[in-house]
């Protein structure tokens, strides 16, 4: 019997016999336990020097009242000697459901070269840069929602690998990739990683929340068009002041 089919059958048994779609081509034989899959995800992430992807960060349920939707193109690189993740992003931030009705979506270019953080506001033609991430202003946290730090960490998935309840619950398709859906409790919160069968890199990350009424809500970051180690000229994380822009180290609004 073909080794791939043997593994598929064993996974089907693990999921109580529920029928699953055929997986994409991948390793012909390996330990398919949750810990083994997460270790392979860890090794794959460590091997990445930089990764480029299209991101979509959305909330569901009651969290939608508090968290905006963020979409855009993201480049993530290795941490610097100061343990700061390098990134560059062009994002569109769409206000949450409690936002002022007059608030319009905001488009920003932002990033960090491993030391200096910056944000470029094309509307006001201002370039903000400083060692403090708060220089990115009131949207600093929103800008970084699409930056998947596990792809830059020297110890990715460390807490997930220590979780006693790490499990595989299904094998769905995300962003055109068959994925292992891994659940774990990290710092008293359930998280879900969708790790691609083809390269063991993530395609979605979900955090699950419960309010005092025990209502469930989530935040979900989905990656598409993921490209590993793209060849880019110069230092793609070092920002340049666009012609005609004012540079300041004051914090953005």
């Amino acid at each position: 019997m073909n080794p791939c089919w043997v593994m598929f059958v064993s996974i089907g048994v693990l999921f109580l016999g529920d029928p699953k779609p055929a997986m994409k081509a991948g390793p012909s034989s390996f330990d398919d336990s949750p810990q083994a899959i997460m270790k392979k995800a860890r090794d794959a992430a460590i091997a990445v020097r930089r990764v480029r992807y299209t991101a979509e960060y959305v909330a569901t349920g009651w969290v939608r009242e508090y968290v905006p939707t963020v979409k855009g193109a993201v480049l993530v690189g290795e941490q610097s000697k100061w343990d700061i993740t390098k990134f560059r992003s062009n994002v569109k931030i769409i206000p949450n459901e409690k936002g002022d009705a007059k608030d319009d979506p905001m488009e920003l270019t932002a990033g960090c070269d491993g030391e200096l953080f910056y944000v470029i506001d094309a509307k006001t033609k201002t370039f903000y840069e400083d060692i403090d991430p708060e220089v990115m202003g009131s949207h600093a946290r929103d800008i970084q929602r699409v930056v998947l730090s596990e792809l830059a960490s020297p110890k990715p998935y460390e807490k997930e690998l220590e979780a006693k309840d790490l499990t595989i619950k299904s094998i769905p398709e995300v962003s055109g990739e068959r994925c292992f859906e891994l659940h774990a409790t990290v710092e008293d919160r359930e998280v879900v990683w969708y790790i691609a069968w083809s390269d063991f890199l993530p395609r979605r990350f979900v955090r699950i929340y419960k309010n005092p009424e025990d209502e469930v809500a989530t935040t979900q970051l989905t990656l598409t068009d993921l490209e590993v180690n793209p060849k880019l000229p110069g230092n793609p994380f070092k920002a340049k002041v666009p012609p005609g822009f004012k540079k300041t180290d004051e914090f953005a609004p």
Side-chain angles (χ1 to χ4, degrees):
M1 184 179 290
N2 186 291
C4 289
W5 179 247
V6 171
M7 183 172 64
F8 175 76
V9 172
S10 68
I11 293 174
V13 172
L14 176 65
F15 300 142
L16 304 180
D18 291 341
K20 302 296 178 187
M23 297 181 183
K24 287 189 175 182
S28 60
S29 151
F30 55 84
D31 181 355
D32 56 13
S33 69
Q35 290 74 18
I37 299 302
M38 185 97 325
K39 285 179 181 178
K40 287 184 177 290
R42 175 198 62 194
D43 295 344
I46 289 174
V48 169
R49 289 184 55 252
R50 64 176 62 146
V51 61
R52 179 166 54 189
Y53 55 84
T54 300
E56 182 179 48
Y57 179 93
V58 298
T60 67
W62 54 269
V63 174
R64 287 182 300 178
E65 296 184 5
Y66 307 98
V67 177
T69 294
V70 186
K71 302 179 180 181
V74 184
L75 178 69
V76 179
E78 297 172 303
Q79 290 184 353
S80 67
K81 61 182 179 181
W82 294 284
D83 299 328
I84 299 173
T85 298
K86 299 175 185 178
F87 76 92
R88 184 179 180 89
S89 62
N90 297 288
V91 297
K92 183 176 183 179
I93 301 171
I94 303 169
N96 58 50
E97 292 187 356
K98 279 194 172 181
D100 193 316
K102 71 176 183 297
D103 288 347
D104 293 323
M106 177 178 291
E107 296 187 14
L108 297 169
T109 296
C112 177
D113 64 1
E115 180 180 8
L116 296 172
F117 292 84
Y118 65 89
V119 64
I120 303 172
D121 189 339
K123 189 174 182 179
T124 62
K125 289 194 172 183
T126 307
F127 178 96
Y128 302 88
E129 185 178 54
D130 194 71
I131 59 173
D132 190 333
E134 294 303 314
V135 75
M136 294 185 289
S138 59
H139 291 288
R141 185 176 180 183
D142 296 331
I143 289 167
Q144 296 178 86
R145 292 183 192 276
V146 294
V147 179
L148 195 58
S149 59
E150 276 72 17
L151 293 172
S153 170
K155 296 181 179 180
Y157 311 113
E158 183 176 27
K159 293 178 181 178
E160 285 82 353
L161 283 164
E162 294 174 350
K164 295 180 179 180
D165 61 346
L166 180 63
T167 56
I168 300 174
K169 291 199 174 180
S170 70
I171 308 178
E173 186 171 296
V174 178
S175 302
E177 293 280 351
R178 187 63 61 197
C179 294
F180 294 100
E181 180 187 332
L182 292 114
H183 290 241
T185 300
V186 174
E187 297 177 342
D188 298 323
R189 187 177 307 287
E190 184 177 1
V191 300
V192 188
W193 286 97
Y194 293 81
I195 302 298
W197 165 277
S198 61
D199 57 14
F200 294 100
L201 292 174
R203 294 306 192 275
R204 179 173 290 160
F205 175 54
V206 177
R207 287 189 177 96
I208 299 176
Y209 302 85
K210 288 186 180 181
N211 63 13
E213 289 72 39
D214 212 32
E215 297 172 322
V216 176
T218 69
T219 57
Q220 174 177 290
L221 173 61
T222 301
L223 314 184
T224 56
D225 304 319
L226 188 146
E227 183 182 359
V228 176
N229 298 331
K231 294 182 179 180
L232 301 168
N235 182 351
F237 302 104
K238 190 72 175 177
K240 294 181 180 180
V241 183
F245 278 60
K246 178 184 72 173
K247 182 177 180 180
T248 179
D249 59 1
E250 294 180 0
F251 289 6

